[in-house]
Structures are given as structure tokens and as C-alpha cells.
Amino acid sequence: MAHLDTLIAMIPDEKLKSEIQSQVSRLTAKASFGLVFEEHRPETVQLPGFEVARGGKVVFKDGSTPGIWTVLRLTEGVATLVRTGDSGERITAQVNELVVIREFGDAIYPGLQSVGSTLNGGDKPFHAVINAENFHAAEMLLYPYEGKVDAIYLDPPYNTGSKDWKYNNDYVDSKDQYRHSKWLSFIEKRLRLAKRLLNPKNSVLIFTIDEKEYLRAGLLLEDIFRGCNIQMVTSVIAPQGSARADTFSRVDEYLFFVLVGDAGVIKGPDDMLFERKSDAVDWDFLRRSGSNARRQDRERSFYPIFVDVATNKVKHVGEYIPLGTSRDEVADMPGCVTVWPIRKDGSEGRWQLGSAGFRAALENGTVKLGRLNKSSKSCAIYYLAAGKLEQIKTGEILVTGKAPDGSLKLTYNPELKMERPKTVWNRESHNARTGGSDLLKNLLPGRSFPFPKSLYAVEDALSFFVMDKPNALILDFFGGSGTTAHAVMRLNARDDGRRRSVVVTNNEVSAEEADDLKKKGMEPGDPEWEKLGIFEYITKPRIEAAVTGRVPSGAHAKGQYKTYAQVEKKCVCDDSSCDGKTMITDFIDDRPLSSGFPENVEYFKLTYEDNQLVRLGRKFEAIAPILWMRAGAEGERVDSLPADGWALPKKGFYGVLTDIDQWEPFVDAINARDDVRCVFIVTDSQAEFEAINVQIDQGIDSVRLYSDYLQSFEINTRQG
């Protein structure tokens, strides 16, 4: 930049110098050093099925005639068009050749239309799954949730070059020389909305990405979330490896964690790098290994233990055998196997405890036996070392009872056995194939979705920030197959929480499916096309299956949630009775998929309302779900204009006043309740609103709505 400033200073033409300096200043003000990208022309969203109207913007469905066009007039199904921003050439087209669009920057009046629900959670709040263009959906969500979201989980398109995302309704592939710049422009708009949605006092943004864009993503996050603590975690998601030509085989992806306000990582039951330890306590081998492990190192610790063959219990503990005396001189006891501390190489070792100490431990239940091997006359014997005995005293290890052999049943206290996770995660459960694709096949037999996240990977990532928030609100507006909503339900199952998720996805089909459907004469908006979209074909039925435990055919879902399993490891001990293997038993969640979850979900479609009807105040039903969401998405909803001029459902938590003359009975009803969270007062007069508001009990969220309702939710304006 210093060199550029020097060159600008050398320009003799003051006007030219000023204009160039102005353009450079704009660029440097827009992006932090090291990250400069084009804004590109505004994004657009197509609205299949929306009526082509005079003055509206349209594009040609087949793309044969490029550009955005404004409709000048309509005559018997024929539209006269002019290219937007151009007063020159006019063309005509059949209305059925056109599709209505909205550009980013055009005023939009959003609504939500319910397209179904899944009820299995009693009085619990509702999760929301929304079929929408995610930028407009996120803008709409500012109204109920700005500054209130506890966690946002985003799994955006990775920009691999394999047509995995669209910009302005065209797939971006590896041949697009501006694909990185388009991706940054696309992501930046959405991250700025995410920042406004997050609770500034305590919240987290989780952003996943792979090697294609992680450097640019990191710079963009640093630029937008200045002052926040940002950390990147490497997560192993494909241990089998993903081949890259002439390069290392890829096994991982990255997660950026943006900690907002005083947010911090909650300690977990393990460090996420090494094998997850079970809550079961590991006992130590009684036979000493390593240094000072020979018989002669401590002769009083070499004695026989007689194990009853019938009961697999210790029947008798002998006295120590002095050095120089052969153990063969000790007679066996009838019905017993005599166990000595013999090392794998056949040499004589020693026990960790003397004979008196062993008898006391046996009495206290702090020794136990493994399986007796009759042929080799050996048996692994375990004991609790001093460190674990101290943990029992401090409460870190809990005694839950006694086993049949008299040994203590032990478990770690989950409230005390916690540690910080490391920045490399290596979990079998995070395998995208087993925890993602295979799980999805069990819920949606015969259907597939490209690269779904492991359910358990999303659950773990969220758990470090919301496990101490049983009423947390979690948002995902790159919702894909709905993994985030599913993960939040599992978090609730851990502690009977009432966390709720809002997931936004679209109803696009893949590039290959789109080509096939077009060849059959179909287009977006047609029933056959729409039923194969992500929302209709994958997300909605996946969430329904997760909640009910039934697949789309109605049959019970097969399989179980197996978060972790037993892992066989090579044993490094030198005990003669060991077979060289040991099983590390990780936490196992083996509830069947068919058990479902006690949750409620409602599915919505984002609608684009006609501005003429908005001005006439005829669209209350379009905003009704948004008001309900602001009040907690819980209880009864006011779905239509109240006949009495106001409504306060008995089983709801908010009220609506639509006739200002009825404010007195409305206020009386509100103040008589102690569970009302929010009230909406419809008036164009700020003075009227304030006069009524002062009569309402403090602590209730009071909101003014314009008389044309949706005007309150106008989004997407350039000024905004």
C-alpha cells in the first residue's frame, strides 16, 4: 500500500489522482489487508409459480436470453420486456417462458406458510425447519431473534469446483475464474447476518470448511468478528482417506469456532484426541511390571493366591516364600489353582501388595480377579492403587455397589471427571460415512444425500457451548439434510432439555437431476421437480423419521444410535495370563432409531408477499408464525385476525391487539397473567403504542406492528 500511495502521489493530473485515490480508499476500507474480493452483481432468487406482473423483474427460464428484464406491459399472455437499467431495445416473450425474480436490494415482504408438523413432545417448544433462500430467511429471522441466538452452526458449500453451490442461479464450477471471489461475496453477506443474530454477551459461531477455502474463510471471519476469540479445530472425518491426485490422502476438515462475548469452551468427559475413556474405572494389575518387578526385589511380595475353580474367587492367601525356597514346595489346595506372580518370560516376579495388604484389600473389595485359565493355571488379578483409593475419598470415583466376587463397582463422577478438548479431534463416531451417510440410509431407505455430516460430530461441537444452556436457541441456515436439528434433539435427550433449533434449507435438486428433469420437459415449480428437492425429499422426512422413529413408508427405522463402541487394542503388559489384546470400552449410546425423540417440529416455506396486498393489510396470516417464534415457538398460536380486536390464547404466551379501541380489556387480560412473554400492538401511531405500553406490566416484550403488518418485516432493501 505504501508503494501504491507513492505512485498515486506522482500523478500530475489532480482530478485523476483524486479519482484513483477514492477508488483505492473504497477497496481498503471494505476488506482487511490480505483479503480483497469483488462484490459481484447482486444475487437473485427465482420465484417459480409467482405471477408475472407489470413492473416486476423476470428472467427467461431456459437461460436462452440472458439478463434481468423488467415487464413493461402484459397483453393476452405476452409480456413486453426491457432489460433492467436499459431504456433501449424492447423484446416480447410468452409469460410461460419467464420466471419472476427478486434481486438482493429489492424490498421483500416475507411470510411463513406452514407445510406440516411433527408432534411428539407434549408442551415442549417447537423446532422450525424452513424451506427458503437462506439469505432472505436469515434476514427474516432478525425480527424474532436478533441478538438472541446462542449458537449458529454453519456448514456452507466448500466451493470444491464440482457444482456444489449456485451463485445467481448458476452452478459454480472449477472453470469459473471468479469462483473464490464469488464464494467470499456469498459467504460475507450471510456471516454479517449471523453476527447480528448472535447473542453479543455469550454465543458461538461454528463454521466448517475444508482445505479449498479455509485460508480465505479465516481471514473473512477475522474481518467480520473483530475482537472475538477465534480458534480452528482439525477434525478427522474420513479415516479411510479421500484420494487427491499426487498429494496426501485427505482425512480431515476444519471447524472455526468464533467465541462471542464471554463465551468459553465447556469441559467435556475427554480431550477429543485420544480414545474416549469410559466412566468405568481401570484397575491396575496386582503383579508388578517394569522396574523392581523381580521376586528378589521384594521377597515378601512373593506368595501364593489360591483361587477356587468352581467360584472363581480367592479361597486362601498364603504367606511369602523366602528367597532360595522353590515355589514347587508349596502344596496346592483341593479344588483350587495356585496363582503366582509369574512374568511372561517365565521368570518369577512379585505382587504389588504384601500378603497382609492383599488380605485387607480383599476384605475391602479393592481387589478383583479376571477369568481363571485352568490349563495354564493362571489368573489376572487386579487391585486399586493408592491414587484411585484417594479418588474414592475425594468423590472423583463413586462406589455404586459390589460385584458377586465382593469387589467394588466403581464409576467416575461425571461432574468431576472433565477436561478441555484439544484442537485435533479423532473420534470414530465423527466418521462422515458411518455417522452420516449410513445413518441417513437407515432413516430414509432408498434415498441419498451427498456428504451429510456425522450426527455425532455436530452434537459434540455444539455440546461444548450449549450443554449448560437447557433452553438454548441454535440456528443453522445451511441446513442441508437437517443434521443440526437432529443433533439438538440428542442433546435434549441427555438432560431433558428444551433447546430448540431453527434450520433453513432450500428445495434445490442436484445439477444432474436438474438436467434429467429438464430433458423430460419439467421445470422448477412443477410438482415432479419440487418433490425431489432437498427440503421435500431429504430434510423434512429425515426430521420426521428422527422424531417418530418411523421411515417414510411407515415402518420402524432399523439400527441403533451407536455413538461409540468397544475398540480392540494391543496390550503392552507382560502378564502371562494375558492374550495380548484388551478391549477399551467407550461410551455406547445404543438406543434404537425407532425410539424417536420427544420433540415438536413445524415445517415452513418462506413466502414472498405481494406488496399491493401488504398495503391493504390483508396478510396477517403470513406473519403469524413469525410472531409466535418471537414469543418462544411454544404453545398456542394466533393464526388469524382476532374477531374481538385482540387475542390472548389460554395455552399461549403472547397476545395481539389489532383494534386499538379494545386496548383496555386487552391490557387487563395481559396483566392478569404471569406467563405472557410478548405482546404485539398494531398501530401506525407511535404515541398510541407508547400510551398503551405504559399500562402493561414491565418485563413483557412489547412490539409495535404497522397496520399493513408485513411492512414491519420489510427486508432486503439496499438501505438495510
Side-chain angles (χ1 to χ4, degrees), residues 669-685:
I670 293 293
N671 291 339
R673 296 262 297 268
D674 59 5
D675 59 351
V676 177
R677 303 166 184 166
C678 192
V679 296
F680 299 93
I681 300 171
V682 179
T683 176
D684 288 334
S685 168

Side-chain angles (χ1 to χ4, degrees), residues 393-664:
K393 291 181 180 179
T394 62
E396 186 174 346
I397 293 177
L398 303 177
V399 178
T400 61
K402 282 196 173 185
D405 65 355
S407 62
L408 300 178
K409 289 183 176 181
L410 305 171
T411 183
Y412 280 103
N413 186 337
E415 295 181 1
L416 299 179
K417 183 175 173 278
M418 308 292 275
E419 52 188 317
R420 299 283 185 196
K422 290 182 167 59
T423 57
V424 176
W425 294 359
N426 186 17
R427 281 287 163 271
E428 177 61 30
S429 62
H430 292 191
N431 188 314
R433 177 175 56 81
T434 56
S437 300
D438 291 351
L439 178 69
L440 197 59
K441 288 177 183 177
N442 284 338
L443 294 170
L444 302 176
R447 305 185 188 188
S448 62
F449 181 79
F451 311 116
K453 279 281 185 290
S454 165
L455 171 63
Y456 315 112
V458 178
E459 180 184 350
D460 281 343
L462 290 170
S463 70
F464 293 118
F465 301 93
V466 301
M467 276 311 294
D468 61 346
K469 299 177 180 178
N471 297 298
L473 174 62
I474 296 101
L475 171 61
D476 179 355
F477 49 81
F478 286 100
S481 67
T483 307
T484 298
H486 198 165
V488 173
M489 294 174 192
R490 280 179 52 85
L491 291 174
N492 283 342
R494 292 193 196 181
D495 60 3
D496 295 323
R498 296 171 70 88
R499 302 171 189 85
R500 54 197 167 99
S501 63
V502 179
V503 171
V504 180
T505 189
N506 58 41
N507 203 41
E508 290 180 356
V509 300
S510 69
E512 295 77 13
E513 287 174 324
D515 290 339
D516 290 341
L517 290 167
K518 286 178 180 177
K519 289 176 182 177
K520 296 176 182 178
M522 299 177 195
E523 57 190 36
D526 290 343
E528 290 299 314
W529 184 298
E530 295 300 316
K531 77 177 185 180
L532 294 177
I534 297 171
F535 175 83
E536 293 290 349
Y537 193 64
I538 299 293
T539 317
K540 183 171 179 283
R542 184 254 179 91
I543 298 302
E544 289 174 335
V547 174
T548 65
R550 293 180 179 272
V551 302
S553 68
H556 289 288
K558 297 180 180 179
Q560 294 176 308
Y561 291 104
K562 285 192 175 294
T563 312
Y564 308 102
Q566 285 193 331
V567 181
E568 186 178 277
K569 297 291 183 181
K570 184 177 180 180
C571 184
V572 295
C573 78
D574 59 355
D575 193 291
S576 61
S577 63
C578 180
D579 62 2
K581 299 176 182 178
T582 185
M583 300 299 290
I584 306 300
T585 305
D586 286 346
F587 169 73
I588 300 176
D589 175 10
D590 58 359
R591 70 184 272 149
L593 270 66
S594 60
S595 63
F597 292 97
E599 302 285 348
N600 299 317
V601 188
E602 187 149 6
Y603 311 96
F604 296 100
K605 177 181 179 180
L606 183 74
T607 60
Y608 294 82
E609 300 301 331
D610 188 294
N611 62 348
Q612 298 299 324
L613 293 178
V614 168
R615 293 190 182 97
L616 294 174
R618 296 179 181 174
K619 282 291 183 177
F620 179 84
E621 69 278 5
I623 69 165
I626 305 174
L627 307 184
W628 174 71
M629 291 170 75
R630 180 158 179 159
E634 186 176 359
E636 190 177 348
R637 187 164 72 221
V638 181
D639 280 324
S640 58
L641 283 172
D644 296 332
W646 63 276
L648 179 61
K650 291 181 179 179
K651 295 183 179 180
F653 300 96
Y654 71 104
V656 180
L657 175 65
T658 57
D659 182 352
I660 211 71
D661 293 334
Q662 301 299 315
W663 73 269
E664 289 184 285

Side-chain angles (χ1 to χ4, degrees), residues 701-713:
D701 180 21
S702 296
V703 185
R704 179 169 72 93
L705 294 178
Y706 290 106
S707 296
D708 56 11
Y709 312 129
L710 276 161
Q711 190 72 39
S712 309
F713 304 92

Side-chain angles (χ1 to χ4, degrees), residues 27-92:
L27 285 173
T28 55
K30 181 191 73 171
S32 59
F33 181 76
L35 185 64
V36 178
F37 58 94
E38 297 290 337
E39 287 290 350
H40 296 283
R41 61 187 175 90
E43 292 181 58
T44 63
V45 59
Q46 294 187 3
L47 306 177
F50 214 81
E51 184 178 355
V52 175
R54 182 184 175 191
K57 294 179 181 179
V58 296
V59 295
F60 283 79
K61 291 178 180 178
D62 60 7
S64 59
T65 305
I68 297 173
W69 301 83
T70 300
V71 180
L72 294 180
R73 59 178 175 269
L74 293 168
T75 307
E76 296 180 351
V78 177
T80 300
L81 310 172
V82 62
R83 197 185 301 272
T84 302
D86 185 4
S87 58
E89 180 186 4
R90 289 167 169 74
I91 64 172
T92 59

Side-chain angles (χ1 to χ4, degrees), residues 330-363:
V330 177
D332 293 332
M333 293 184 66
C336 293
V337 169
T338 306
V339 181
W340 298 91
I342 306 301
R343 297 152 65 102
K344 276 192 172 182
D345 61 4
S347 63
E348 295 178 333
R350 71 175 182 86
W351 302 120
Q352 296 272 25
L353 301 173
S355 57
F358 182 82
R359 293 187 188 96
L362 187 65
E363 180 70 23

Side-chain angles (χ1 to χ4, degrees), residues 248-406:
F248 299 108
S249 183
R250 191 107 194 139
V251 301
D252 58 352
E253 68 175 11
Y254 309 112
L255 294 89
F256 283 101
F257 290 88
V258 181
L259 308 186
V260 180
D262 60 3
V265 180
I266 301 171
K267 289 184 178 181
D270 71 298
D271 63 12
M272 300 297 288
L273 175 59
F274 299 105
E275 291 295 340
R276 185 186 297 263
K277 301 179 182 70
S278 71
D279 289 337
V281 176
D282 293 328
W283 294 56
D284 295 301
F285 282 108
L286 181 66
R287 185 187 56 75
R288 186 177 177 84
S289 59
S291 60
N292 298 316
R294 300 172 302 170
R295 176 182 178 181
Q296 58 265 38
D297 292 327
R298 184 172 294 177
E299 65 172 329
R300 288 181 175 274
S301 294
F302 185 79
Y303 52 87
I305 298 174
F306 300 94
V307 178
D308 191 302
V309 173
T311 63
N312 206 86
K313 293 181 179 180
V314 175
K315 188 171 184 178
H316 180 68
V317 180
E319 298 300 329
Y320 83 95
I321 307 299
L323 282 174
T325 303
S326 171
R327 67 179 187 272
D328 293 334
E329 296 182 19
V330 177
D332 293 332
M333 293 184 66
C336 293
V337 169
T338 306
V339 181
W340 298 91
I342 306 301
R343 297 152 65 102
K344 276 192 172 182
D345 61 4
S347 63
E348 295 178 333
R350 71 175 182 86
W351 302 120
Q352 296 272 25
L353 301 173
S355 57
F358 182 82
R359 293 187 188 96
L362 187 65
E363 180 70 23
N364 295 331
T366 57
V367 295
K368 67 176 183 177
L369 304 184
R371 183 176 297 176
L372 179 66
N373 188 324
K374 299 177 184 178
S375 60
S376 64
K377 294 185 177 181
S378 62
C379 178
I381 303 177
Y382 307 92
Y383 84 115
L384 292 179
K388 289 191 171 65
L389 293 175
E390 181 62 27
Q391 287 178 300
I392 292 175
K393 291 181 180 179
T394 62
E396 186 174 346
I397 293 177
L398 303 177
V399 178
T400 61
K402 282 196 173 185
D405 65 355

